[in-house]
Amino acid sequence: LDRRIAHFGHYSDLFSDDPSDKPPCRGCSSNLVEPYIKCAECGPSPFLLCLQCFTRGFEFKKHESDHKYEIMTSDFPVLEPGWTAQEEMAVLEAVMDCGFGNWLDVAYQMRTKSKEECEAHYMKNFINNPLFSSTLLNLRQIEEARTAVTAIPFKPTDDPPRPTFDSLLSRDMAGYMPARADFMEEFDNYAEWDLKDIDFVDDDSDLLHALKIAVVDIYHSRLKERGRRKKIIRDHGLINLRKFQILEHRYPKEVQDLYDAMRRFARVVGPIEHDKFIESHACEYDILMCTHSAKVYERVKHVREDERRKRTMLVDVLQYIQDGRACQQWLSKQACFTIHSSGPCRRSAPPLNLTGLPGTEKLNDREKELCQVVRLVPGAYLEYKQALLNECRRQGGLRLAQARALIKIDVNKTRKIYDFLIKEGYINKA
């Protein structure tokens, strides 16, 4: 039985129902019908004879009638009694043709078993069989281990679109079929034509045999080139070209020019290395642009500050134009600021902005102007004013020294507040 199983596995292509699938008898050239004879010593091409030629002792070239032989037949059980090797192959082929679960069509194609028998046998021996399931599990683990190292996490090709045939997207994808990972038209699409009529037979001369081997080698090299190009397309995400171009256009023009120049080297360094190279140059370009942008920002900032200073100056002129003394003081400050680099004048601080400060609404316009010039918040000014008014009422008058002792702030600010209250009539000198 073991020998029969080995023959079944090694020569399963000889056990087909179609006689045209088997080589003809070497003696009478008739179609072989099981059982038939295979010479165990002639090869590598199988030397097959029908039973009639075998019983006549047919001999040809190196084959002699006393050679060891094997009886080729599929009329024996393999997995369970009642199912021959021929039927095992027939049910597998029927499931492949009709699809898993279509047991009525499978039984109709087999013609020797019922729908229930086909389903029970297939589920028992090919789905639930521990031997097959463990083998499939090991194959799956080996495949996962192999692809885990070489898998390339490139987003555009994780899930390629599946456009309808002859659609615009299908043409953009060059007829790529995601379910098969093939193209409708491959690179060097007619490479097989040079090989389709070659047949190796024992009576070929050495020169003819060598020529046929050379043709096969050339065909293999063309297949390798086809596979290499397909791998480049898959690894670099070129299948969905439109999405690839969208991702490429996210770079600035300078980086895109570099991308175009370096694309020819992508097939050498690989997809991850190539993307890292481009990303590093994009990052370098961003850093350079940030440095340049910082210089532009500083220049524009100075221009903006000059414009703001000019607007503030105009507002000050309009504010002080009604008050001759205040206007004269402001002009003196501006003169000091102008000759600051060559004269002894000290640059004064800009007026205090009272917008949003507590107590501003309790001040009149002249008091607001005082707080802006002295740079005193309205709340503090109101406290100092009330303290000076109370002291002036208690003593009947107030001197500057008494005001300075009462409010402990800068003496210049105290004098300006004292003079302002005297001028406005809030207090009187002692």
Side-chain angles (χ1 to χ4, degrees):
L1 178 60
D2 293 339
R3 182 177 179 184
R4 290 181 178 180
I5 294 176
H7 290 166
F8 169 70
H10 190 67
Y11 300 108
S12 59
D13 56 335
L14 303 178
F15 297 154
S16 174
D17 288 332
D18 190 356
S20 62
D21 292 342
K22 304 184 183 70
C25 173
R26 296 301 294 270
C28 61
S29 299
S30 63
N31 293 330
L32 293 173
V33 179
E34 296 181 3
Y36 54 91
I37 305 300
K38 176 182 177 297
C39 181
E41 299 183 14
C42 295
S45 298
F47 192 90
L48 307 178
L49 292 173
C50 64
L51 295 181
Q52 291 76 11
C53 294
F54 175 72
T55 55
R56 293 200 307 266
F58 177 79
E59 294 181 347
F60 179 76
K61 291 187 177 180
K62 297 180 181 180
H63 174 69
E64 298 179 359
S65 59
D66 59 349
H67 281 179
K68 296 179 180 179
Y69 62 91
E70 298 176 358
I71 300 176
M72 307 301 293
T73 180
S74 58
D75 189 16
F76 58 89
V78 177
L79 300 177
E80 63 176 295
W83 282 76
T84 64
Q86 183 68 40
E87 290 174 329
E88 298 288 357
M89 294 188 58
V91 71
L92 292 177
E93 184 176 357
V95 171
M96 183 181 300
D97 293 340
C98 304
F100 178 77
N102 298 327
W103 303 115
L104 184 61
D105 296 338
V106 170
Y108 179 79
Q109 182 169 325
M110 283 194 60
R111 298 183 181 276
T112 59
K113 299 294 182 180
S114 65
K115 178 184 71 171
E116 292 76 12
E117 290 175 331
C118 293
E119 181 180 4
H121 179 78
Y122 191 87
M123 296 299 296
K124 173 183 177 182
N125 294 282
F126 297 102
I127 300 299
N128 301 325
N129 191 333
L131 175 62
F132 284 94
S133 61
S134 61
T135 303
L136 293 176
L137 179 61
N138 292 335
L139 292 176
R140 187 179 299 109
Q141 292 174 348
I142 293 174
E143 178 66 16
E144 292 177 354
R146 184 184 68 82
T147 56
V149 179
T150 59
I152 299 173
F154 196 78
K155 296 298 182 183
T157 57
D158 282 350
D159 186 17
R162 301 171 183 266
T164 58
F165 176 72
D166 202 26
S167 62
L168 178 61
L169 182 56
S170 177
R171 291 193 293 271
D172 289 343
M173 295 171 60
Y176 181 74
M177 298 175 289
R180 295 178 53 185
D182 287 331
F183 293 89
M184 292 292 294
E185 185 171 346
E186 298 282 359
F187 170 76
D188 198 0
N189 196 50
Y190 300 99
E192 289 78 10
W193 281 28
D194 298 334
L195 195 71
K196 62 186 180 65
D197 296 327
I198 292 181
D199 186 18
F200 288 88
V201 295
D202 292 338
D203 52 355
D204 287 341
S205 64
D206 294 341
L207 178 59
L208 183 58
H209 185 79
L211 288 174
K212 292 180 178 180
I213 293 296
V215 172
V216 174
D217 291 339
I218 294 173
Y219 171 69
H220 284 169
S221 64
R222 297 167 75 177
L223 285 184
K224 289 180 181 179
E225 178 63 18
R226 180 187 295 174
R228 186 184 72 87
R229 290 172 179 259
K230 189 184 298 184
K231 185 177 186 300
I232 292 174
I233 293 175
R234 183 183 64 251
D235 292 349
H236 287 273
L238 302 178
I239 295 174
N240 191 355
L241 187 59
R242 184 174 301 177
K243 189 173 183 180
F244 176 81
Q245 291 173 344
I246 294 175
L247 294 174
E248 187 183 42
H249 289 164
R250 75 182 188 274
Y251 295 117
K253 185 178 184 305
E254 291 76 8
V255 181
Q256 290 184 25
D257 295 339
L258 174 67
Y259 210 133
D260 293 337
M262 299 304 298
R263 184 178 287 117
R264 67 195 67 181
F265 301 105
R267 68 185 66 184
V268 179
V269 297
I272 295 181
E273 292 77 7
H274 179 69
D275 289 346
K276 287 182 179 179
F277 177 78
I278 298 299
E279 288 293 341
S280 63
H281 280 76
C283 182
E284 179 185 9
Y285 177 78
D286 291 340
I287 293 175
L288 293 176
M289 291 302 297
C290 288
T291 305
H292 177 70
S293 301
K295 295 179 181 179
V296 174
Y297 171 77
E298 290 295 334
R299 185 168 66 251
V300 175
K301 178 182 178 182
H302 291 314
V303 175
R304 184 173 66 249
E305 289 178 350
D306 292 340
E307 294 293 334
R308 182 181 300 170
R309 189 178 299 111
K310 292 178 182 178
R311 289 195 301 268
T312 305
M313 185 181 300
L314 179 60
V315 173
D316 290 344
V317 170
L318 295 177
Q319 181 178 358
Y320 295 130
I321 198 69
Q322 303 296 333
D323 190 338
R325 180 180 176 184
C327 183
Q328 186 65 33
Q329 292 177 352
W330 181 83
L331 291 175
S332 299
K333 294 177 182 178
Q334 295 301 319
C336 288
F337 174 75
T338 304
I339 62 175
H340 171 70
S341 57
S342 58
C345 292
R346 188 179 67 181
R347 181 179 178 181
S348 60
L352 178 65
N353 186 5
L354 302 182
T355 304
L357 295 179
T360 304
E361 68 279 0
K362 299 179 181 180
L363 305 179
N364 57 35
D365 293 340
R366 291 183 297 277
E367 288 177 325
K368 291 179 181 179
E369 178 183 341
L370 173 67
C371 290
Q372 288 177 339
V373 174
V374 179
R375 295 187 61 81
L376 190 65
V377 296
Y381 164 76
L382 293 174
E383 292 181 3
Y384 299 153
K385 175 184 176 182
Q386 189 64 39
L388 294 177
L389 290 176
N390 295 336
E391 185 67 18
C392 181
R393 292 193 192 97
R394 190 175 64 83
Q395 297 186 9
L398 190 65
R399 298 193 303 271
L400 177 60
Q402 294 174 327
R404 289 175 176 173
L406 188 62
I407 53 177
K408 306 293 184 179
I409 59 175
D410 181 73
V411 293
N412 293 324
K413 291 185 177 182
T414 303
R415 182 177 183 85
K416 291 180 180 180
I417 296 174
Y418 179 80
D419 292 342
F420 175 79
L421 295 178
I422 292 292
K423 179 181 177 181
E424 296 294 325
Y426 290 108
I427 61 174
N428 57 301
K429 294 183 179 179

